[in-house]
Amino acid sequence: MPMTEQATGAHHPQPRPRSGGHHSAPEQVTGAQSLIRSLEEVGADTVFGIPGGAILPAYDPLMDSTRVRHVLVRHEQGAGHAATGYAQATGRVGVCMATSGPGATNLVTPIADAHMDSVPLVAITGQVASKAIGTDAFQEADIVGITMPITKHNFLVTKAEDIPRVIAQAFHIASTGRPGPVLVDIAKDALQAKTTFSWPPTMDLPGYRPVTKPHAKQIREAAKLITQAKRPVLYVGGGVMKAKATAELKVLAELTGAPVTTTLMALGSFPDNHQQHLGMPGMHGSVAAVTALQKADLIVALGARFDDRVTGKLDSFAPFAKIVHADIDPAEIGKNRAADVPIVGDAREVIADLIQAVQKEHSEGHQGDYSAWWKDLSRWRETYPLGYDQPGDGSLSPQQVIERIGQLAPEGTIFAAGVGQHQMWAAHFIEYDKPGTWLNSGGAGTMGYAVPAAMGAKAGAPDKAVWAIDGDGCFQMTNQELTTCALNNIPIKVAVINNGALGMVRQWQTLFYNQRYSNTVLHSGPEDVNPEARGTRVPDFVKLSEAMGCYAIRCESPDDLDKVIEEANSVNDRPVVVDFIVHEDAMVWPMVAAGTSNDEIMAARDVRPDFGDNEDD
């Protein structure tokens, strides 16, 4: 993205170069030494990466740093997701490092993932020597060109003297405004050349001025609409978490009395157990949350982007609602749904100003009356709660497994999920009451996210328990990072929800493809090729995990569930993997089929909710 774009907002403790106070005197160093010194000065304490030819000069001075810990991962994708997990768990900038060519291209998926979910990330890649750029040199790839659409900004550095300024700018851009990934590609000869190092550098970012303070007139308009509405909903997105505005959100919600829905990226920003919380909206959202948005006369969107997984078929979404849309990225406002009151600003400042404006409305006798609205909401919530059936054959229910992991986990546990059915069940059946306790790949839906993200979270928050809730499909993409965890004393816990299939795809095949299960069975090959393999465990996750230095357990019976989870919780000197063999036919409900209206929500298979109204007034 161009640097002139105003990007979204956060109050991050890390990122900008120190000014005033300590200035280092110029000294002769290599570009590589300058890079490591710059990382130390911006406050980076952990880097996830793998060395290779073009980045190798940087690894030599890294060995001498007492302030930057390097974690040697097994795959660059693991480095990127670990940096994301670190950033999401700590609120600081995550850092990953890779060499040129395939090393850099292996970072593309986690960079795209961080871009979709607005995660502050700095990816540092080596590049072939500057004179060789463009010649198809060994291990050359135009990573700046490749990542341009999926970074907030990126840099190609060919001169050693530019390294401190570029690193300072990269951390500043990544962590201010709308957070996002920044790529710094450094030519090998720039790392090897001699230069002078002094700190802080002069930053020159013309046109990069994120707007954080909202316009007072728009705030007043929004407050008026809130008090005039009969059926308002606060639609809360991940931007509220990024802006560290969760305390302000609770004050605003309780002041107005309006119901709150939190998106998949915002779980934990408003307590799940709060009486005003309706749950998650969207394709697999709660009936109450989805219906509240459909029948609302006012939606106050805070740091949310009206994405397709929330809105369903866009032209039928919330047909009676006026829209107040607050976001720090002006490009989001009006992108999918026109806003009646657009507010550009940092969510924390927007909500703080809204609180004052609503208090003023109340003092002038303008108070919203939502009693009839709450009567409807309470009825929908009580009639269609989230729930699940136990399998009739006595096998493990995946929902119960995840629910019990949440209930038995230590206070403050961080949960990271892969993508698919287990991700939705983890969103539904674990209670999130604090920000930063739920990590997942929301926008990109990246399989293989959970294990490395949990690793990064544990590295950044070593005092907290970290559970990765993974599927057997996702787990087979990045489980090699368990070796990294074992060797680096990063004792995460992994629940493999093993149904022998690519579960969410299988669910769609059940519902929409006449139960033709094309290429979604994981535990065997085609019967005509290898009939003996059917029903066997290939791979055996317990043996595999033990081979990587983990403590591993298998659980197949509901009778053993609590005992196994407690055993996993008690082991804290190495990673733990639990292979939960669960029923393969469990499905995620509620569900709005892709491309249909949210009015078509199904509470369970063949169960359409009855809202008891014949008119949509």
Side-chain angles (χ1 to χ4, degrees), residues 159-239:
K159 294 180 182 163
E161 62 263 31
D162 291 340
I163 290 171
R165 173 182 55 80
V166 168
I167 291 297
Q169 290 178 174
F171 275 72
H172 178 67
I173 293 166
S175 60
T176 54
R178 178 180 187 163
V182 177
L183 176 102
V184 180
D185 192 35
I186 309 175
K188 187 172 185 178
D189 52 325
L191 291 170
Q192 293 169 320
K194 284 286 187 186
T195 183
T196 57
F197 178 82
S198 65
W199 195 270
T202 303
M203 283 208 298
D204 181 25
L205 294 170
Y208 181 67
R209 298 282 180 274
V211 173
T212 57
K213 188 73 183 158
H215 198 290
K217 178 175 176 288
Q218 305 299 86
I219 292 287
R220 286 196 301 272
E221 286 295 313
K224 273 196 189 117
L225 286 179
I226 289 170
T227 54
Q228 289 167 1
K230 297 281 185 222
R231 301 188 301 279
V233 178
L234 300 181
Y235 159 39
V236 175

Side-chain angles (χ1 to χ4, degrees), residues 400-409 415 467 469 495 565 580:
Q400 184 185 18
V401 168
I402 292 167
E403 185 173 54
R404 291 304 289 158
I405 289 171
Q407 289 165 347
L408 295 172
F415 298 92
W467 268 98
I469 311 290
I565 294 170
F580 290 101

Side-chain angles (χ1 to χ4, degrees), residues 232-463:
V233 178
L234 300 181
Y235 159 39
V236 175
V240 169
M241 200 97 77
K242 301 286 187 300
K244 298 182 168 48
T246 56
E248 289 82 354
L249 171 65
K250 190 162 182 280
V251 173
L252 177 67
E254 290 176 349
L255 175 68
T256 61
V260 179
T261 72
T262 49
T263 67
L264 186 66
M265 292 306 298
L267 295 181
S269 58
F270 189 76
D272 275 357
N273 58 11
H274 195 287
Q275 60 187 12
Q276 286 171 245
H277 192 238
L278 299 181
M280 183 175 79
M283 172 179 268
H284 291 295
S286 72
V287 170
V290 172
T291 309
L293 289 170
Q294 284 302 94
K295 307 224 179 259
D297 63 1
L298 175 69
I299 292 174
V300 181
L302 302 166
R305 57 190 180 88
F306 291 90
D307 72 289
D308 60 296
R309 280 303 192 256
V310 166
T311 65
K313 191 177 173 191
L314 192 59
D315 57 13
S316 67
F317 174 71
F320 318 111
K322 287 188 171 176
I323 304 292
V324 172
H325 192 177
D327 204 292
I328 198 154
D329 186 353
E332 286 297 350
I333 297 175
K335 183 176 85 175
N336 292 328
R337 173 70 178 255
D340 297 278
V341 180
I343 304 174
V344 178
D346 177 80
R348 195 173 184 179
E349 299 204 31
V350 169
I351 296 170
D353 287 1
L354 266 178
I355 289 166
Q356 290 190 324
V358 170
Q359 284 170 333
K360 187 167 185 293
E361 287 288 318
H362 288 181
S363 71
E364 292 170 1
H366 308 136
Q367 186 109 20
D369 177 9
Y370 315 142
S371 51
W373 182 220
W374 270 110
K375 205 171 160 190
D376 287 339
L377 296 170
S378 298
R379 187 174 75 250
W380 301 331
R381 189 156 58 179
E382 285 158 21
T383 308
Y384 303 104
L386 293 172
Y388 55 89
D389 294 322
Q390 294 288 2
D393 60 1
S395 59
L396 271 175
S397 147
Q399 299 98 318
Q400 184 185 18
V401 168
I402 292 167
E403 185 173 54
R404 291 304 289 158
I405 289 171
Q407 289 165 347
L408 295 172
E411 182 75 22
T413 294
I414 295 170
F415 298 92
V419 168
Q421 289 181 316
H422 63 279
Q423 174 192 26
M424 294 297 106
W425 290 323
H428 283 324
F429 297 111
I430 296 173
E431 201 168 83
Y432 303 99
D433 297 327
K434 293 187 179 66
T437 54
W438 163 249
L439 317 179
N440 83 125
S441 169
T446 305
M447 290 180 70
Y449 167 91
V451 169
M455 175 174 76
K458 183 69 174 175
D463 297 337

Side-chain angles (χ1 to χ4, degrees), residues 69 458 484-491 572-574:
R69 172 195 189 190
K458 183 69 174 175
T484 311
C485 292
L487 294 175
N488 288 276
N489 189 28
I490 304 174
N572 293 300
D573 62 348
R574 71 196 92 161

